[in-house]
Amino acid sequence: MTKKLLIILLFLASNVIFSQVVINELDSDTPSTDDKEFIELKSTVPNFSLNGYVLVLFNGGSTGTSNLSYYAIDLDGLTTDANGIIVLGNTLVSPVPTYIFSNNVVQNGPDAVAIYQANGSDFPMNTPASTTNLIDALVYGNNNTQATALLSALGVSTQINENMNSQGTVQSIQRKADGTYEVKAPTPGANNDGSGIVFNGITITAPTTHLNEGDSFVITFTTQTNVANNLTFNFSLHNDSFTTADYTGNTTVLIPAGSNSFSTTIQIIDDAIDEGDEVLKIKFGTLPAGYVRMNDNIEIRVIDNDFTVSAWGTPLNPTHGVVTSTAPAGYYSSLEGLSGAALKQAVQNIIANPAVVRAHNYGDIVEILKKADQNPLNSNQVWMMYVESPRAKLDYQTGSSNVGTWNREHIYPQSRGGFSNGTSSTPDGINVWLPTNADDINAAHADAHHLRAEDGPENSSRNNRDYGGTDYNGPVGTQGSWKGDVARAVFYMAVRYNALDVVNGNPPDTTVGQLGDLASLLAWNHSDPSDDFEMNRNNYIYTWQVNRNPFIDHPGLADYIWGTHVGEPWSATLSTPDVNALQVLLYPNPANDYLYIDGVQDRGQLEVYTITGQKVKTLDFEGTTKVFLDLSSGMYITKITSDNKTVVKKLLIR
């Protein structure tokens, strides 16, 4: 009898030990981008070790993912505080969570959060929900849709609606002392009923988000209430390449008894090293008991004033002939004398040669673009194509917000090409690559010849539309310095991959394997000729992929494959670009009631013809000139003459 009683007591003791922690508060739906999500756990005793526990998030939604795990956090090494509380959440939660996870991780429901006596490795993605070793579970949502199967799988009787008060984005689900739940304003890091120890919160304040090398700035630490005794702790500014060699100043905080703030001045060192722009991160050291961080990891951009300038121009102010092609001798010799389909096939044989060409992955593209699309005026920046402006390399988009960032723009859209997510997003470097060929459509996902650095919102605006015609013609007010680049990238893709084509008109944006508008792209190939910026990126991409974009090296090839010279024998000597030809920009194009003529320094003449050859307008101009058109909608041909040179361009009037 004694032995049996002992076994029962041991079982109950074990069960109590692993039942001392519950889900105390959940905020899954926060304003805007869900960047203040958190999950709060509570133990019945303070300073409780969470070794041996795992927090698991389950999907209660659509068929195929219902009742399966989508995220797990191994809680080994974590401990609750003096109130028995620990918060896991996003960086913007205040006080700052003990454990940080990315924004938008916690789904809004109907879903579930559960604590198990187990390890994180026991819950890989898509692990079914169950009651095995389950300690506590909360099934929730932000509407009245019930996760019926999930409730059953976790043995939970009631689903809690975070939006029950119609304030779901500003309220959280909170556990009451009797084990039931209520919904009210969030209380991360504190007992839901207001009891217990009240910690003194400390806030970091810095007056700026951007600094230049050589600048100084003040950091202030402020407590919510005056400190009873001298408060001393350290902080750091270290972050990746930003180290103690990059600044001087006191990094020890001393708030005297009876006070609530301390300020210190940090001096950024102006060195002569081109390190690129960096980010310093103001981070708390270990705080004494009784204090919590109201914010942390405050980032400040440090702009490096040491950078290199290239000998060639930006696409807005292009140069020609400064950068020479690094194509090996004879690279294009097999094309001589060919025409039509044979010429196109011969080009493909070069740029898709399975014995030579290498395929890399989408993760590598970020590194490639930092070099290939480097701003010629500042080596710490990339040049963003459509918006015709630079942005710091450091501002690559890594989170959900794309404002003020740059990203990888597929010139031939993923959905239109049929190669969405065709390669890994984990970079593995120039020395790791896969063989490829003309049928390897997945390689197009990470083919750098059609990927460019681009402003985040404009990248989204571009979406998967066709080019030219009545479709995508770039941001209003830009000069179209990217149009030829786009044309030559599309031409490359249409030859490199058997599954892709470029066609006239604007096929529906759901069409896979076809992209338009060929007529516009052929015109852009002439109006925005290949320049040194393109040649430099062609040379650099060649070092990774061991293939080139032949339409940059020989822009005239496009006319022999799709344009006015189709069927004629090709010769490289026929396509040598005349860098001394008249370089003129007409913008906006398409136009409405006016356009600008730019690029002519001296006097010139503009003539406008209908597509049937009837002259409808003649105008003398000098320098950059705004021209009012007063023309009916349609396609026109313009002829611009200056200094005994002439250029012909297409013009679309809306």
Side-chain angles (χ1 to χ4, degrees):
M1 183 69 177
T2 302
K3 183 176 180 182
K4 185 179 293 185
L5 179 61
L6 179 62
I7 292 172
I8 292 172
L9 290 173
L10 286 173
F11 173 79
L12 291 174
S14 175
N15 192 52
V16 169
I17 290 173
F18 282 104
S19 299
Q20 292 188 84
V21 59
V22 296
I23 298 162
N24 197 50
E25 187 171 356
L26 170 68
D27 197 353
S28 66
D29 191 5
T30 69
S32 187
T33 56
D34 278 356
D35 54 10
K36 298 180 182 65
E37 304 166 326
F38 70 89
I39 304 167
E40 181 182 272
L41 309 181
K42 183 173 176 60
S43 57
T44 54
V45 295
N47 306 310
F48 181 76
S49 172
L50 296 176
N51 289 341
Y53 292 90
V54 59
L55 183 67
V56 185
L57 281 59
F58 289 101
N59 196 326
S62 60
T63 302
T65 59
S66 181
N67 305 342
L68 301 179
S69 67
Y70 67 90
Y71 198 76
I73 302 172
D74 194 311
L75 301 178
D76 286 354
L78 300 178
T79 303
T80 62
D81 65 16
N83 284 322
I85 287 175
I86 185 171
V87 178
L88 305 89
N90 303 154
T91 56
L92 293 183
V93 174
S94 183
V96 178
T98 301
Y99 183 97
I100 301 293
F101 53 74
S102 301
N103 297 343
N104 276 317
V105 164
V106 185
Q107 298 178 172
N108 292 341
D111 295 301
V113 179
I115 306 171
Y116 286 88
Q117 178 190 340
N119 294 311
S121 58
D122 296 326
F123 289 88
M125 178 76 77
N126 295 327
T127 300
S130 75
T131 56
T132 303
N133 297 321
L134 178 67
I135 304 300
D136 190 38
L138 169 61
V139 180
Y140 67 93
N142 61 5
N143 56 44
N144 292 319
T145 303
Q146 295 290 299
T148 306
L150 194 55
L151 286 164
S152 175
L154 292 172
V156 175
S157 60
T158 305
Q159 178 173 310
I160 310 301
N161 182 1
E162 185 177 352
N163 195 39
M164 67 170 59
N165 301 324
S166 300
Q167 299 184 67
T169 60
V170 294
Q171 294 189 334
S172 66
I173 299 171
Q174 300 180 31
R175 185 187 183 99
K176 295 193 292 185
D178 62 3
T180 62
Y181 294 91
E182 61 184 333
V183 175
K184 60 182 183 178
T187 61
N191 285 332
N192 297 334
D193 60 5
S195 64
I197 299 170
V198 177
F199 298 105
N200 198 349
I202 309 175
T203 300
I204 302 171
T205 304
T208 183
T209 58
H210 286 73
L211 295 165
N212 295 310
E213 284 192 347
D215 287 349
S216 63
F217 70 108
V218 176
I219 305 174
T220 300
F221 296 83
T222 307
T223 58
Q224 291 175 314
T225 61
N226 291 347
V227 300
N229 302 299
N230 287 351
L231 171 62
T232 302
F233 61 89
N234 295 320
F235 70 94
S236 70
L237 304 174
H238 300 176
N239 186 36
D240 295 331
S241 62
F242 191 89
T243 67
T244 53
D246 294 306
Y247 68 92
T248 59
N250 174 33
T251 58
T252 298
V253 174
L254 171 58
I255 300 179
S259 301
N260 75 330
S261 70
F262 172 87
S263 296
T264 183
T265 299
I266 301 296
Q267 177 73 47
I268 306 298
I269 295 173
D270 185 2
D271 56 31
I273 305 171
D274 182 10
E275 303 160 301
D277 296 347
E278 298 174 295
V279 173
L280 66 81
K281 188 176 289 187
I282 309 171
K283 295 176 285 189
F284 281 104
T286 302
L287 294 177
Y291 295 91
V292 293
R293 303 165 296 157
M294 300 308 291
N295 62 352
D296 202 359
N297 297 301
I298 309 302
E299 295 186 352
I300 299 178
R301 169 69 48 78
V302 179
I303 308 299
D304 193 348
N305 55 16
D306 303 297
F307 54 83
T308 59
V309 177
S310 302
W312 55 92
T314 69
L316 265 184
N317 297 285
T319 58
H320 301 83
V322 177
V323 181
T324 57
S325 170
T326 58
Y331 188 74
Y332 295 111
S333 60
S334 60
L335 308 183
E336 291 295 312
L338 299 180
S339 62
L343 175 62
K344 182 179 180 181
Q345 183 60 55
V347 174
Q348 186 186 77
N349 291 344
I350 297 171
I351 64 176
N353 185 348
V356 176
V357 180
R358 300 175 178 179
H360 293 276
N361 67 46
Y362 197 45
D364 289 319
I365 290 298
V366 179
E367 191 63 31
I368 294 174
L369 294 184
K370 285 180 179 179
K371 186 70 174 179
D373 286 355
Q374 180 172 294
N375 178 15
L377 300 179
N378 187 330
S379 57
N380 297 328
Q381 301 172 336
V382 292
W383 183 264
M384 297 181 297
M385 181 175 63
Y386 299 135
V387 296
E388 301 178 330
S389 61
R391 182 157 291 159
K393 291 179 179 178
L394 200 57
D395 286 328
Y396 177 74
Q397 180 183 340
T398 56
S400 57
S401 174
N402 63 6
V403 177
T405 66
W406 65 274
N407 211 325
R408 299 160 288 189
E409 157 72 355
H410 283 93
I411 291 178
Y412 206 116
Q414 297 188 62
S415 61
R416 299 290 296 275
F419 46 76
S420 297
N421 302 314
T423 64
S424 169
S425 291
T426 303
D428 50 23
I430 193 170
N431 294 320
V432 179
W433 50 275
L434 293 171
T436 185
N437 55 56
D439 292 320
D440 180 16
I441 190 60
N442 283 332
H445 180 244
D447 194 318
H449 285 300
H450 87 120
L451 279 149
R452 293 291 290 265
E454 188 49 67
D455 170 68
E458 188 60 31
N459 189 18
S460 299
S461 175
R462 152 79 180 110
N463 202 0
N464 64 348
R465 290 182 285 167
D466 294 306
Y467 291 100
T470 58
D471 223 318
Y472 187 76
N473 286 277
V476 175
T478 52
Q479 297 185 25
S481 62
W482 50 270
K483 291 186 173 180
D485 305 47
V486 161
R488 290 178 281 277
V490 173
F491 297 155
Y492 163 88
M493 295 294 286
V495 175
R496 166 68 174 86
Y497 298 96
N498 286 331
L500 305 182
D501 198 4
V502 55
V503 299
N504 278 310
N506 297 90
D509 60 12
T510 56
T511 305
V512 177
Q514 290 187 343
L515 191 67
D517 168 36
L518 176 58
S520 296
L521 294 172
L522 287 169
W524 290 358
N525 186 41
H526 288 278
S527 63
D528 175 33
S530 175
D531 55 27
D532 288 320
F533 184 91
E534 269 191 285
M535 186 62 74
N536 176 70
R537 81 182 313 272
N538 202 14
N539 289 344
Y540 183 70
I541 292 168
Y542 179 74
T543 66
W544 281 75
Q545 297 184 182
V546 200
N547 74 347
R548 302 181 64 82
N549 184 339
F551 301 99
I552 295 174
D553 293 329
H554 295 292
L557 263 173
D559 289 328
Y560 283 77
I561 295 176
W562 295 282
T564 56
H565 295 291
V566 168
E568 298 177 20
W570 161 261
S571 175
T573 58
L574 299 177
S575 73
T576 303
D578 180 6
V579 297
N580 296 314
L582 188 62
Q583 306 293 331
V584 180
L585 283 174
L586 296 182
Y587 64 93
N589 188 4
N592 289 316
D593 54 353
Y594 70 90
L595 61 79
Y596 284 93
I597 305 173
D598 195 9
V600 177
Q601 303 301 318
D602 301 320
R603 293 181 179 180
Q605 184 180 73
L606 168 71
E607 296 172 296
V608 183
Y609 297 84
T610 66
I611 58 174
T612 60
Q614 179 185 3
K615 184 189 292 187
V616 293
K617 194 173 191 67
T618 301
L619 175 73
D620 294 326
F621 65 90
E622 184 172 359
T624 300
T625 303
K626 184 176 184 179
V627 178
F628 290 93
L629 300 169
D630 191 24
L631 296 171
S632 302
S633 299
M635 183 68 74
Y636 294 84
I637 304 297
T638 65
K639 179 180 179 182
I640 303 101
T641 304
S642 179
D643 193 25
N644 296 318
K645 299 174 184 175
T646 299
V647 64
V648 176
K649 295 176 176 285
K650 287 185 178 181
L651 172 65
L652 179 63
I653 304 296
R654 288 175 171 165

